[in-house]
Amino acid sequence: MAGKPKLHYTKGRGKMESIRWLLAAAGVEFEEEFIETKEDLDKLRNDGSLLFQQVPMVEIDGMKMVQTRAILNYIAGKYNLHGKDLKERAWIDMYVEGTTDLMGMIMVLPFQAADAKEKNIALIIERATTRYFPVYEKALKDHGHDYLVGNQLSWADIHLLEAILMTEELKPDILSAFPLLQAFKGRTSNISTIKKFLQPGSQRKPPPDEKFIANVRKIFNI
């Protein structure tokens, strides 16, 4: 029997957090080996573990997988979170790309100067409420089901919940104009595997603080 997936990344969110979310939602236990120094990263690079010299890297099913999208695709496919046919998969991919764009804007915030950060928070809130969240609100309304695609939980739902919670850290009432998304957040947060991941003490990572950011800069020469 294969062992638990092992995740190689820093002790923070970054590009690995969506992978943690997807595994947790699928009910898959995983181990983490944290990159805490530049030497830790160099070791992975020098022993040939990193196909493109980059993390995240996940050891799963005898593979050392890199590239976030490839890892997420594999997990979603393996645990029946990627739709029942090609059309559903296309919709899931489109929805995921939207939330990826939104979360990507949030992810870089801690590395920005204070003046740029303030301006970009305003831009993120504007984009979330005029470009991204209206799409998901409409999808839930038109579809008439609890989930974005088909009538079962998919990667798109898990990714959307992660994006909602990230934007709420910037603006707690960001869903005030989106009643269906508010209900979606409540439903999806209560799925047993996700509820467990949202509890204190889980492998979910907190927002990055200054000490963590300083260490990441050091590790990756940013």
Side-chain angles (χ1 to χ4, degrees), residues 84 88 143 145-152:
K84 70 178 189 303
E88 283 197 358
H143 191 39
H145 291 304
D146 287 350
Y147 304 109
L148 286 170
V149 178
N151 195 23
Q152 66 176 42

Side-chain angles (χ1 to χ4, degrees), residues 122-194:
L123 178 63
I124 289 163
I125 291 165
E126 188 266 327
R127 287 272 167 87
T129 52
T130 64
R131 179 179 296 187
Y132 295 109
F133 288 166
V135 169
Y136 303 109
E137 182 82 3
K138 184 175 187 299
L140 290 166
K141 184 180 180 184
D142 292 350
H143 191 39
H145 291 304
D146 287 350
Y147 304 109
L148 286 170
V149 178
N151 195 23
Q152 66 176 42
L153 181 72
S154 77
W155 175 22
D157 302 300
I158 298 157
H159 218 242
L160 176 56
L161 179 61
E162 183 188 0
I164 286 170
L165 297 181
M166 282 176 78
T167 51
E168 284 184 334
E169 287 172 354
L170 301 178
K171 191 178 192 304
D173 65 346
I174 199 155
L175 290 187
S176 58
F178 304 101
L180 296 180
L181 280 181
Q182 287 176 43
F184 168 87
K185 175 193 160 190
R187 274 195 311 274
T188 317
S189 298
N190 273 301
I191 292 167
S192 60
T193 51
I194 294 175

Side-chain angles (χ1 to χ4, degrees), residues 69-86:
R69 180 67 195 232
I71 297 165
L72 288 164
N73 264 319
Y74 183 80
I75 295 165
K78 179 173 172 135
Y79 295 105
N80 195 30
L81 293 165
H82 214 166
K84 70 178 189 303
D85 56 32
L86 213 49

Side-chain angles (χ1 to χ4, degrees), residues 26 51 70 198 214:
L51 196 61
L198 292 173

Side-chain angles (χ1 to χ4, degrees), residues 50-95:
L50 305 178
L51 196 61
F52 300 109
Q53 306 292 302
Q54 294 171 310
V55 288
M57 189 266 280
V58 175
E59 294 185 64
I60 185 170
D61 296 342
M63 295 183 287
K64 292 185 175 181
M65 291 197 74
V66 295
Q67 297 294 2
T68 312
R69 180 67 195 232
I71 297 165
L72 288 164
N73 264 319
Y74 183 80
I75 295 165
K78 179 173 172 135
Y79 295 105
N80 195 30
L81 293 165
H82 214 166
K84 70 178 189 303
D85 56 32
L86 213 49
K87 273 192 176 178
E88 283 197 358
R89 183 171 180 159
W91 278 106
I92 289 165
D93 287 347
M94 284 192 282
Y95 289 142

Side-chain angles (χ1 to χ4, degrees), residues 9 24 34 47 59-60 79 112 137 175 179 201 204 215 219:
Y9 201 65
F34 295 116
D47 71 11
E59 294 185 64
I60 185 170
Y79 295 105
Q112 295 172 341
E137 182 82 3
L175 290 187
R204 186 182 178 215
N215 196 42
I219 294 168

